[in-house]
Amino acid sequence: MEELNLNDLSKIQEKAIDMAFQFGPVLLKAVILLLAGRFVIKMLIRLLTNALSKYEVDASLATFFKSFLSALLWVLLIISIATTLGMQMTSFIAILGAAGLAVGLALQGSLANFAGGVLILVFKPFRVGDTIEAQGTLGSVESIDILYTKIRNFDNKVVTIPNGALANNAITNFSLKPTRRVDMSVGVAYGTDLKKTRKVILDILNKDERVHEDPAPVVYFGNFGDSSLDLTIRCWTDAADLWPVYWDSMEAIKEAFEANDIEVPFPQRDVNHYYPEGKK
């Protein structure tokens, strides 16, 4: 029995050695191909990045191209490794097709995101660097990848949104036009001279070099409020100066009101108490 076991062990060892000599070089070749292919993919992506930067290709297209090329090269590398390991190309394509169908059904959302990314790059509702509002997020577009778009909001959080959702829903682009309208509103006390107030506000806006002369700034009386006469103020400026003009103008208007004795009222109520006849 012991001799039989030794013979079996010897046969197993011989078979293992034969398999090692048979499959070892192939496996080693596949590992070398994997390492070399990984290095080549990194080099090609780096060359593509430099080329896109050199020719000043739009940042949105550049990010998408790099993501797509990387995915394509890895698929080709996997096919090459499978072929090296002895898998027949026809069989591998059949398996890949069946797997692709199964994965396609399982990843319908991802395919929709890929199509959404293509639509975004074709129709360009926004670009990298634009300030947009979409899906409840307001911020600057950091990158457009093959499946997702990254938006950095103004408190430095990065929100990742699927491209399919962006391509099929409303998007507000704040950077598409070079100029923006600044909307402000102030309230003054009842009895205030509106012509004087309008002149004070327009003098402030006309002195600000950031405010455009055409269209000219305007001040309209808009509403009889509960405690104030409500004024609507509108002027135009460069998109980058929108909020600085708003903040500086509101502060300057407040100081000008104080200097010209224009009262900004606070909420108030008149309360009248009626007593029955003969009562104090």
Side-chain angles (χ1 to χ4, degrees):
M1 190 69 179
E2 184 177 356
E3 184 179 354
L4 181 60
N5 289 338
L6 290 175
N7 290 333
D8 291 342
L9 182 60
S10 178
K11 291 179 180 180
I12 292 173
Q13 289 177 344
E14 290 177 359
K15 190 172 183 180
I17 292 172
D18 290 340
M19 291 181 64
F21 277 107
Q22 183 178 357
F23 294 104
V26 177
L27 185 60
L28 180 61
K29 189 176 179 181
V31 171
I32 294 174
L33 182 60
L34 174 62
L35 296 176
R38 182 180 177 185
F39 175 78
V40 170
I41 290 174
K42 287 184 177 181
M43 290 297 297
L44 290 176
I45 295 299
R46 188 177 302 170
L47 290 173
L48 177 64
T49 302
N50 295 335
L52 294 174
S53 177
K54 178 180 178 181
Y55 292 102
E56 298 181 351
V57 176
D58 182 80
S60 306
L61 287 172
T63 305
F64 189 88
F65 282 154
K66 287 188 288 185
S67 301
F68 181 75
L69 179 62
S70 178
L72 179 62
L73 291 175
W74 273 105
V75 170
L76 295 176
L77 178 60
I78 292 173
I79 293 175
S80 300
I81 292 173
T83 305
T84 302
L85 291 174
M87 184 175 292
Q88 296 294 327
M89 183 57 66
T90 53
S91 302
F92 182 77
I93 292 177
I95 295 172
L96 190 63
L101 178 61
V103 171
L105 293 174
L107 299 177
Q108 293 183 24
S110 296
L111 296 177
N113 291 337
F114 176 79
V118 174
L119 291 175
I120 290 171
L121 292 174
V122 171
F123 294 103
K124 294 182 173 61
F126 58 86
R127 302 169 183 266
V128 171
D130 285 357
T131 298
I132 68 169
E133 184 176 9
Q135 300 295 296
T137 299
L138 173 64
S140 176
V141 179
E142 280 207 332
S143 65
I144 304 173
D145 297 326
I146 59 174
L147 299 179
Y148 300 97
T149 292
K150 293 181 179 179
I151 299 176
R152 179 173 54 83
N153 58 26
F154 296 116
D155 59 353
N156 214 31
K157 296 176 183 176
V158 176
V159 181
T160 302
I161 302 178
N163 288 335
L166 288 175
N168 293 289
N169 290 281
I171 300 171
T172 303
N173 191 329
F174 296 95
S175 303
L176 193 59
K177 298 297 183 180
T179 59
R180 293 279 305 280
R181 192 181 73 187
V182 184
D183 294 331
M184 296 172 280
S185 61
V186 297
V188 296
Y190 278 89
T192 300
D193 186 345
L194 293 184
K195 292 183 178 179
K196 174 184 177 182
T197 304
R198 181 179 289 109
K199 182 178 184 305
V200 168
I201 295 173
L202 289 177
D203 285 344
I204 292 171
L205 297 178
N206 290 328
K207 290 177 182 177
D208 192 335
E209 296 180 354
R210 297 168 298 181
V211 176
H212 294 178
E213 296 180 358
D214 185 21
V218 293
V219 179
Y220 294 118
F221 169 56
N223 183 48
F224 291 95
D226 292 338
S227 305
S228 64
L229 301 173
D230 298 332
L231 302 176
T232 297
I233 307 166
R234 293 176 178 174
C235 64
W236 288 83
T237 185
D238 294 341
D241 293 329
L242 173 69
W243 288 111
V245 167
Y246 177 87
W247 293 320
D248 293 344
S249 297
M250 290 296 289
E251 183 174 346
I253 289 171
K254 186 260 184 187
E255 294 174 352
F257 280 4
E258 292 176 349
N260 290 273
D261 296 325
I262 298 174
E263 181 184 354
V264 178
F266 54 86
Q268 52 186 304
R269 294 289 185 273
D270 290 334
V271 179
N272 300 295
H273 193 164
Y274 293 93
Y275 293 93
E277 187 176 354
K279 299 286 186 179
K280 291 185 181 180

